[in-house]
Coordinates of all heavy atoms in Angstrom, one line a residue:
M1 N 18.6 244.9 170.8 CA 18.2 245.3 172.1 C 19.1 244.7 173.1 O 19.7 243.6 172.9 CB 16.8 244.7 172.4 CG 15.7 245.3 171.6 SD 15.3 246.6 172.5 CE 14.0 247.4 172.3
R2 N 19.2 245.3 174.3 CA 20.1 244.8 175.3 C 19.2 244.4 176.5 O 18.2 245.0 176.9 CB 20.9 246.0 175.8 CG 22.1 245.5 176.7 CD 23.0 246.7 176.9 NE 24.1 246.3 177.7 CZ 24.8 247.0 178.5 NH1 24.4 248.2 178.8 NH2 25.8 246.5 179.2
Y3 N 19.5 243.2 177.1 CA 18.7 242.6 178.1 C 19.7 242.4 179.4 O 20.9 242.0 179.2 CB 18.1 241.3 177.7 CG 17.2 241.5 176.6 CD1 17.5 241.5 175.3 CD2 15.8 241.6 176.9 CE1 16.6 241.7 174.3 CE2 14.9 241.8 175.9 CZ 15.3 241.8 174.6 OH 14.4 242.0 173.6
K4 N 19.1 242.6 180.6 CA 19.8 242.4 181.8 C 19.3 241.1 182.4 O 18.1 240.8 182.5 CB 19.4 243.5 182.8 CG 20.0 243.4 184.1 CD 19.6 244.6 185.0 CE 20.1 244.5 186.4 NZ 19.7 245.6 187.2
V5 N 20.3 240.2 182.7 CA 20.1 238.8 183.2 C 20.7 238.8 184.5 O 21.9 238.9 184.6 CB 20.6 237.8 182.2 CG1 20.3 236.4 182.8 CG2 20.1 237.9 180.8
A6 N 19.9 238.7 185.6 CA 20.5 238.8 186.9 C 19.9 237.7 187.9 O 18.6 237.6 187.9 CB 20.2 240.2 187.6
P7 N 20.7 237.0 188.6 CA 20.1 236.0 189.5 C 19.3 236.7 190.6 O 19.8 237.8 191.1 CB 21.4 235.3 190.1 CG 22.5 236.2 189.8 CD 22.1 237.1 188.7
I8 N 18.3 236.2 191.0 CA 17.4 236.7 192.0 C 18.2 236.6 193.3 O 18.7 235.5 193.7 CB 16.0 236.1 192.1 CG1 15.2 236.4 190.8 CG2 15.3 236.5 193.3 CD1 14.0 235.7 190.6
G9 N 18.3 237.6 194.1 CA 19.0 237.7 195.4 C 20.4 237.8 195.3 O 21.2 237.7 196.4
N10 N 21.1 238.0 194.2 CA 22.5 238.1 194.0 C 22.8 239.2 193.0 O 22.8 239.0 191.8 CB 23.1 236.8 193.6 CG 24.7 236.9 193.5 OD1 25.3 238.0 193.7 ND2 25.3 235.8 193.2
S11 N 23.1 240.4 193.4 CA 23.3 241.5 192.5 C 24.8 241.6 192.0 O 25.2 242.5 191.3 CB 23.0 242.9 193.2 OG 23.7 243.1 194.3
D12 N 25.6 240.6 192.5 CA 27.0 240.6 192.0 C 27.3 239.9 190.7 O 28.4 239.9 190.2 CB 27.9 239.9 193.1 CG 27.8 240.7 194.4 OD1 27.7 241.9 194.4 OD2 28.1 240.1 195.5
N13 N 26.3 239.2 190.2 CA 26.5 238.3 189.0 C 25.5 238.8 187.9 O 24.8 237.9 187.3 CB 26.3 236.9 189.4 CG 26.9 235.9 188.5 OD1 27.7 236.3 187.6 ND2 26.5 234.6 188.6
I14 N 25.5 240.0 187.5 CA 24.7 240.5 186.5 C 25.3 240.4 185.1 O 26.5 240.7 185.0 CB 24.2 242.0 186.8 CG1 23.5 242.1 188.1 CG2 23.4 242.5 185.6 CD1 23.3 243.5 188.5
H15 N 24.6 240.0 184.2 CA 25.0 239.8 182.7 C 24.1 240.8 181.9 O 23.0 240.8 182.1 CB 24.9 238.4 182.3 CG 25.7 237.4 183.1 ND1 27.1 237.2 182.9 CD2 25.4 236.7 184.2 CE1 27.5 236.3 183.8 NE2 26.5 236.0 184.6
Y16 N 24.7 241.3 180.8 CA 24.0 242.0 179.8 C 24.2 241.3 178.5 O 25.3 241.1 178.1 CB 24.5 243.5 179.7 CG 24.2 244.2 181.0 CD1 25.1 244.3 182.1 CD2 23.0 244.9 181.2 CE1 24.9 245.0 183.2 CE2 22.7 245.5 182.3 CZ 23.6 245.6 183.3 OH 23.3 246.3 184.5
I17 N 23.1 241.0 177.8 CA 23.1 240.1 176.7 C 22.3 240.9 175.5 O 21.2 241.5 175.8 CB 22.3 238.8 176.9 CG1 23.0 238.1 178.1 CG2 22.3 238.0 175.7 CD1 24.4 237.5 177.9
E18 N 22.9 240.9 174.3 CA 22.3 241.5 173.2 C 21.3 240.5 172.5 O 21.7 239.3 172.5 CB 23.3 241.9 172.2 CG 24.2 243.1 172.6 CD 23.5 244.4 172.7 OE1 22.5 244.6 172.0 OE2 23.9 245.2 173.6
G19 N 20.2 240.9 172.1 CA 19.3 239.9 171.4 C 18.2 240.7 170.7 O 17.9 241.8 171.0
S20 N 17.6 240.0 169.7 CA 16.4 240.7 169.0 C 15.2 240.5 169.7 O 14.2 241.2 169.4 CB 16.3 240.0 167.6 OG 16.1 238.7 167.7
S21 N 15.0 239.7 170.8 CA 13.9 239.5 171.5 C 14.3 238.8 172.9 O 15.4 238.5 173.1 CB 12.9 238.5 170.8 OG 13.5 237.2 170.8
Y22 N 13.3 238.7 173.8 CA 13.7 238.1 175.0 C 14.1 236.6 174.8 O 15.1 236.2 175.4 CB 12.4 238.0 176.0 CG 12.1 239.2 176.7 CD1 11.3 240.2 176.2 CD2 12.8 239.5 178.0 CE1 11.0 241.4 177.0 CE2 12.6 240.6 178.6 CZ 11.7 241.6 178.2 OH 11.4 242.8 178.9
L23 N 13.5 235.9 174.0 CA 13.9 234.5 173.7 C 15.2 234.4 173.1 O 16.0 233.5 173.4 CB 12.8 233.8 172.9 CG 11.5 233.5 173.6 CD1 10.5 232.8 172.7 CD2 11.7 232.6 174.9
D24 N 15.5 235.3 172.2 CA 16.9 235.3 171.5 C 17.9 235.6 172.6 O 18.9 234.9 172.6 CB 16.9 236.3 170.4 CG 18.2 236.4 169.7 OD1 18.7 235.3 169.4 OD2 18.7 237.5 169.5
A25 N 17.7 236.5 173.5 CA 18.6 236.8 174.5 C 18.8 235.7 175.5 O 19.9 235.3 175.9 CB 18.2 238.1 175.3
I26 N 17.7 235.0 175.8 CA 17.8 233.8 176.7 C 18.6 232.7 176.0 O 19.4 232.1 176.6 CB 16.4 233.4 177.1 CG1 15.7 234.4 178.0 CG2 16.4 232.0 177.7 CD1 14.2 234.2 178.2
N27 N 18.3 232.6 174.7 CA 19.1 231.5 174.0 C 20.6 231.8 174.0 O 21.4 230.9 174.1 CB 18.5 231.3 172.6 CG 17.2 230.5 172.6 OD1 16.9 229.8 173.6 ND2 16.4 230.8 171.6
R28 N 20.9 233.1 173.8 CA 22.4 233.5 173.8 C 23.0 233.3 175.1 O 24.1 232.8 175.2 CB 22.4 234.9 173.3 CG 22.2 235.1 171.8 CD 22.1 236.6 171.4 NE 21.6 236.8 170.1 CZ 22.4 237.3 169.2 NH1 23.6 237.7 169.4 NH2 21.9 237.5 168.0
F29 N 22.3 233.6 176.2 CA 22.7 233.4 177.5 C 22.9 232.0 177.8 O 24.0 231.6 178.4 CB 21.8 234.0 178.6 CG 22.3 234.0 180.0 CD1 23.4 234.6 180.4 CD2 21.5 233.3 180.9 CE1 23.8 234.6 181.7 CE2 21.9 233.3 182.2 CZ 23.1 233.9 182.6
D30 N 22.0 231.1 177.4 CA 22.1 229.7 177.5 C 23.4 229.1 176.9 O 24.1 228.4 177.4 CB 20.9 229.0 177.0 CG 20.9 227.5 177.2 OD1 21.3 227.0 178.2 OD2 20.4 226.8 176.2
K31 N 23.6 229.6 175.7 CA 24.8 229.1 174.9 C 26.1 229.6 175.6 O 27.0 228.8 175.8 CB 24.8 229.7 173.5 CG 26.0 229.2 172.6 CD 25.8 229.7 171.2 CE 27.0 229.2 170.4 NZ 27.0 229.7 169.0
W32 N 26.1 230.8 176.1 CA 27.3 231.3 176.9 C 27.5 230.5 178.2 O 28.6 230.1 178.5 CB 27.1 232.8 177.2 CG 28.2 233.4 177.9 CD1 29.4 233.8 177.4 CD2 28.4 233.5 179.4 NE1 30.3 234.2 178.4 CE2 29.6 234.0 179.6 CE3 27.5 233.1 180.4 CZ2 30.0 234.2 180.9 CZ3 27.9 233.4 181.7 CH2 29.2 234.0 181.9
L33 N 26.4 230.2 178.9 CA 26.5 229.4 180.1 C 27.1 228.0 179.8 O 28.0 227.6 180.5 CB 25.1 229.2 180.7 CG 24.5 230.3 181.5 CD1 23.1 230.0 181.8 CD2 25.4 230.7 182.7
E34 N 26.6 227.3 178.8 CA 27.1 226.1 178.4 C 28.6 226.1 178.1 O 29.4 225.2 178.5 CB 26.3 225.4 177.3 CG 25.0 225.0 177.8 CD 24.3 224.3 176.6 OE1 24.7 223.1 176.2 OE2 23.2 224.8 176.1
E35 N 29.1 227.1 177.4 CA 30.4 227.2 177.0 C 31.4 227.6 178.1 O 32.6 227.2 178.0 CB 30.5 228.2 175.8 CG 29.9 227.7 174.5 CD 29.8 228.7 173.4 OE1 30.2 229.9 173.7 OE2 29.4 228.4 172.3
N36 N 30.9 228.4 179.0 CA 31.8 229.0 180.0 C 31.5 228.6 181.5 O 32.5 228.8 182.3 CB 31.7 230.6 179.9 CG 32.1 231.0 178.5 OD1 33.3 231.0 178.2 ND2 31.2 231.4 177.7
R37 N 30.4 228.1 181.7 CA 30.1 228.0 183.1 C 29.5 226.5 183.5 O 29.2 226.3 184.7 CB 29.0 229.0 183.6 CG 29.5 230.4 183.5 CD 30.4 230.8 184.7 NE 30.8 232.2 184.6 CZ 30.4 233.2 185.3 NH1 29.4 233.0 186.2 NH2 30.9 234.3 185.2
Y38 N 29.4 225.7 182.6 CA 28.8 224.4 182.8 C 27.4 224.4 183.4 O 27.1 223.6 184.3 CB 29.8 223.5 183.8 CG 31.1 223.5 183.3 CD1 32.1 224.2 183.8 CD2 31.5 222.6 182.2 CE1 33.4 224.2 183.3 CE2 32.7 222.6 181.7 CZ 33.7 223.4 182.3 OH 35.0 223.3 181.8
W39 N 26.6 225.3 182.9 CA 25.2 225.5 183.4 C 24.4 225.5 182.1 O 24.8 225.7 181.0 CB 25.1 226.8 184.1 CG 25.7 226.8 185.5 CD1 27.0 227.1 185.7 CD2 25.1 226.6 186.8 NE1 27.3 227.0 187.0 CE2 26.2 226.8 187.7 CE3 23.9 226.3 187.1 CZ2 25.9 226.6 189.1 CZ3 23.6 226.2 188.6 CH2 24.7 226.3 189.5
K40 N 23.0 225.3 182.3 CA 22.1 225.4 181.1 C 20.8 225.9 181.6 O 20.3 225.6 182.7 CB 21.9 223.9 180.7 CG 21.0 223.8 179.5 CD 21.1 222.6 178.7 CE 20.2 222.5 177.5 NZ 20.4 223.7 176.6
V41 N 20.2 226.7 180.8 CA 18.8 227.2 181.0 C 17.9 226.0 180.8 O 17.8 225.4 179.7 CB 18.4 228.4 180.1 CG1 17.0 228.7 180.2 CG2 19.3 229.5 180.3
T42 N 17.1 225.7 181.8 CA 16.2 224.5 181.7 C 14.7 224.9 181.7 O 13.8 224.1 181.4 CB 16.4 223.5 182.9 OG1 16.2 224.3 184.1 CG2 17.8 223.0 182.9
D43 N 14.4 226.2 181.9 CA 13.0 226.6 181.9 C 13.0 228.1 181.8 O 13.8 228.9 182.3 CB 12.2 226.3 183.2 CG 10.8 226.5 183.1 OD1 10.2 226.2 182.1 OD2 10.2 227.1 184.1
A44 N 12.0 228.7 181.0 CA 11.8 230.1 180.8 C 10.3 230.3 181.0 O 9.5 229.7 180.4 CB 12.3 230.6 179.5
T45 N 10.0 231.3 181.8 CA 8.6 231.7 182.1 C 8.4 233.2 181.9 O 9.1 234.0 182.5 CB 8.1 231.3 183.5 OG1 8.4 230.0 183.7 CG2 6.7 231.6 183.7
Q46 N 7.5 233.5 181.0 CA 7.1 235.0 180.9 C 6.2 235.4 181.9 O 5.1 234.9 182.0 CB 6.5 235.2 179.5 CG 6.3 236.7 179.2 CD 5.8 236.9 177.8 OE1 5.5 236.0 177.0 NE2 5.6 238.2 177.4
L47 N 6.7 236.4 182.8 CA 5.9 236.9 183.8 C 4.9 238.0 183.4 O 3.8 238.1 183.7 CB 6.8 237.3 185.0 CG 7.6 236.3 185.6 CD1 8.5 236.9 186.7 CD2 6.8 235.1 186.1
T48 N 5.5 239.0 182.7 CA 4.8 240.1 182.0 C 5.3 240.3 180.7 O 6.3 239.7 180.2 CB 5.0 241.4 182.9 OG1 6.3 241.9 182.9 CG2 4.6 241.1 184.4
D49 N 4.9 241.4 180.0 CA 5.5 241.7 178.7 C 6.9 242.3 178.8 O 7.6 242.4 177.8 CB 4.5 242.6 177.9 CG 4.3 243.9 178.5 OD1 4.4 244.0 179.7 OD2 4.0 244.9 177.8
K50 N 7.3 242.6 180.0 CA 8.6 243.2 180.2 C 9.5 242.4 181.2 O 10.6 242.9 181.6 CB 8.5 244.6 180.8 CG 7.8 245.5 179.8 CD 7.8 247.0 180.3 CE 7.2 247.9 179.3 NZ 7.2 249.3 179.8
Q51 N 9.1 241.2 181.5 CA 9.9 240.4 182.5 C 9.7 238.9 182.3 O 8.6 238.4 182.2 CB 9.5 240.8 183.9 CG 10.3 240.1 185.0 CD 9.9 240.5 186.4 OE1 8.8 241.0 186.6 NE2 10.7 240.3 187.4
W52 N 10.8 238.2 182.4 CA 10.9 236.7 182.3 C 11.7 236.3 183.4 O 12.6 237.0 184.0 CB 11.6 236.3 181.0 CG 10.8 236.4 179.8 CD1 10.4 237.6 179.1 CD2 10.3 235.4 178.9 NE1 9.7 237.3 178.0 CE2 9.7 235.9 177.8 CE3 10.4 234.0 179.0 CZ2 9.1 235.2 176.8 CZ3 9.8 233.2 178.0 CH2 9.1 233.8 176.9
H53 N 11.4 235.0 183.9 CA 12.3 234.3 184.9 C 12.8 233.1 184.1 O 12.1 232.4 183.4 CB 11.5 233.8 186.1 CG 11.4 234.9 187.1 ND1 10.7 234.6 188.3 CD2 11.8 236.1 187.2 CE1 10.7 235.7 189.1 NE2 11.5 236.6 188.4
I54 N 14.1 232.8 184.3 CA 14.7 231.6 183.8 C 15.3 230.7 184.9 O 15.7 231.3 185.9 CB 15.7 231.8 182.7 CG1 16.8 232.7 183.2 CG2 15.0 232.4 181.4 CD1 18.0 232.9 182.2
R55 N 15.2 229.5 184.8 CA 15.9 228.5 185.7 C 17.1 228.0 185.0 O 17.1 227.6 183.9 CB 14.9 227.4 186.0 CG 15.5 226.4 187.0 CD 14.6 225.2 187.3 NE 15.2 224.2 188.1 CZ 14.9 224.0 189.4 NH1 14.0 224.7 189.9 NH2 15.5 223.0 190.0
V56 N 18.2 228.1 185.8 CA 19.5 227.6 185.3 C 20.0 226.6 186.2 O 19.9 226.7 187.4 CB 20.5 228.9 185.3 CG1 21.9 228.5 185.0 CG2 20.0 230.0 184.4
E57 N 20.4 225.4 185.6 CA 20.9 224.2 186.4 C 22.3 223.8 186.0 O 22.6 224.0 184.8 CB 19.9 223.1 186.2 CG 18.5 223.3 186.7 CD 17.7 222.1 186.6 OE1 18.2 221.0 186.5 OE2 16.4 222.3 186.6
G58 N 23.0 223.3 186.9 CA 24.3 222.7 186.7 C 24.2 221.5 185.8 O 23.3 220.7 186.0
I59 N 25.2 221.3 184.9 CA 25.1 220.2 184.0 C 26.4 219.4 184.1 O 26.6 218.5 183.2 CB 24.8 220.7 182.5 CG1 25.9 221.7 182.1 CG2 23.5 221.2 182.4 CD1 25.8 222.0 180.6
S60 N 27.2 219.5 185.0 CA 28.5 218.7 185.1 C 28.8 218.6 186.6 O 28.2 219.1 187.4 CB 29.6 219.4 184.4 OG 30.2 220.4 185.1
E61 N 29.9 217.8 186.8 CA 30.3 217.6 188.2 C 30.9 218.9 188.7 O 31.0 219.0 190.0 CB 31.4 216.5 188.2 CG 30.8 215.2 187.9 CD 31.9 214.1 187.9 OE1 33.1 214.3 188.2 OE2 31.5 212.9 187.5
K62 N 31.3 219.8 187.9 CA 31.9 221.1 188.3 C 30.9 222.0 188.8 O 31.2 223.0 189.5 CB 32.7 221.8 187.2 CG 33.9 221.0 186.7 CD 34.6 221.7 185.6 CE 35.8 221.0 185.2 NZ 36.6 221.7 184.1
S63 N 29.6 221.9 188.5 CA 28.5 222.7 188.9 C 27.3 221.8 189.2 O 27.0 221.0 188.5 CB 28.2 223.8 187.9 OG 27.8 223.2 186.7
C64 N 26.7 222.2 190.3 CA 25.4 221.5 190.7 C 24.4 222.5 191.3 O 24.8 223.6 191.6 CB 25.7 220.4 191.6 SG 26.4 220.9 193.2
G65 N 23.2 222.1 191.4 CA 22.2 223.0 192.0 C 21.5 223.8 190.8 O 21.6 223.5 189.6
F66 N 20.8 224.8 191.3 CA 20.1 225.7 190.3 C 20.0 227.1 190.8 O 20.3 227.4 192.0 CB 18.7 225.1 190.0 CG 17.7 225.3 191.2 CD1 16.9 226.4 191.2 CD2 17.7 224.4 192.2 CE1 16.0 226.6 192.3 CE2 16.8 224.6 193.3 CZ 16.0 225.7 193.3
A67 N 19.6 228.0 190.0 CA 19.4 229.4 190.3 C 18.3 229.9 189.4 O 18.1 229.5 188.3 CB 20.6 230.3 190.1
I68 N 17.6 230.9 189.9 CA 16.5 231.6 189.2 C 17.0 233.0 188.8 O 17.5 233.7 189.7 CB 15.2 231.7 190.0 CG1 14.7 230.3 190.4 CG2 14.1 232.4 189.1 CD1 14.4 229.3 189.4
Y69 N 16.9 233.3 187.5 CA 17.4 234.6 187.0 C 16.2 235.4 186.6 O 15.2 234.9 186.0 CB 18.3 234.4 185.8 CG 19.7 234.0 186.2 CD1 20.1 232.8 186.7 CD2 20.8 234.9 186.0 CE1 21.3 232.4 186.9 CE2 22.1 234.6 186.3 CZ 22.3 233.3 186.8 OH 23.6 232.9 187.1
N70 N 16.3 236.7 186.7 CA 15.3 237.7 186.3 C 15.9 238.3 184.9 O 17.0 238.7 184.9 CB 15.1 238.8 187.3 CG 14.0 239.7 187.0 OD1 12.9 239.1 186.7 ND2 14.2 240.9 187.2
V71 N 15.0 238.3 183.9 CA 15.5 238.8 182.6 C 14.6 240.0 182.3 O 13.3 239.9 182.2 CB 15.3 237.8 181.5 CG1 15.8 238.4 180.1 CG2 16.1 236.5 181.8
T72 N 15.1 241.2 182.1 CA 14.4 242.4 181.7 C 15.1 243.1 180.7 O 16.4 243.0 180.5 CB 14.3 243.4 183.0 OG1 15.6 243.6 183.5 CG2 13.4 242.8 184.1
R73 N 14.4 243.9 179.8 CA 15.0 244.6 178.8 C 15.5 246.0 179.3 O 14.9 246.6 180.1 CB 13.9 244.9 177.7 CG 14.5 245.5 176.5 CD 13.6 245.6 175.3 NE 12.4 246.5 175.7 CZ 11.2 246.3 175.3 NH1 10.9 245.3 174.5 NH2 10.2 247.1 175.6
C74 N 16.7 246.3 178.9 CA 17.3 247.6 179.3 C 16.6 248.7 178.5 O 16.5 248.6 177.3 CB 18.8 247.6 179.0 SG 19.7 246.4 180.0
E75 N 16.1 249.7 179.2 CA 15.5 250.9 178.5 C 16.6 251.7 177.8 O 17.6 251.9 178.4 CB 14.7 251.6 179.5 CG 13.5 250.8 180.1 CD 12.6 250.3 179.1 OE1 12.3 251.0 178.1 OE2 12.0 249.2 179.3
Q76 N 16.3 252.2 176.7 CA 17.2 252.9 175.9 C 17.2 254.4 176.3 O 16.3 255.0 176.6 CB 17.0 252.8 174.4 CG 17.0 251.4 173.9 CD 18.4 250.7 174.1 OE1 19.4 251.4 174.1 NE2 18.4 249.4 174.1

């Protein structure tokens, strides 16, 4: 399955992640963030059966603050 991960309020930074479930896609996005962006997923909340919100926080001096991302499954 393909999932769309987009920061709320910023349509310029959309990511598409493959995963077997929402949690798998969130974990893969978290791993990518840590390796490439110095960020980490610190919270995941299921809003509905088709939507999650994740909180992403900076984990180094190169990045600080946080952002909330919307995670939805791409319809085939």
Side-chain angles (χ1 to χ4, degrees):
M1 292 275 194
R2 191 171 188 216
Y3 295 86
K4 179 180 176 182
V5 183
I8 294 175
N10 180 357
S11 61
D12 295 335
N13 198 14
I14 297 172
H15 301 273
Y16 293 94
I17 304 293
E18 296 291 330
S20 60
S21 67
Y22 279 95
L23 290 177
D24 182 46
I26 290 167
N27 285 333
R28 289 172 187 244
F29 184 62
D30 183 40
K31 184 176 180 180
W32 180 85
L33 283 171
E34 287 186 65
E35 291 172 355
N36 298 288
R37 299 280 179 105
Y38 306 102
W39 293 79
K40 179 161 185 54
V41 174
T42 57
D43 187 44
T45 304
Q46 184 176 6
L47 302 176
T48 68
D49 61 335
K50 296 183 177 183
Q51 182 181 20
W52 286 66
H53 275 178
I54 57 174
R55 180 182 173 104
V56 173
E57 295 184 22
I59 57 172
S60 77
E61 293 177 5
K62 294 181 180 184
S63 59
C64 62
F66 73 94
I68 305 297
Y69 282 71
N70 191 42
V71 182
T72 54
R73 188 172 63 215
C74 296
E75 297 302 322
Q76 304 297 339

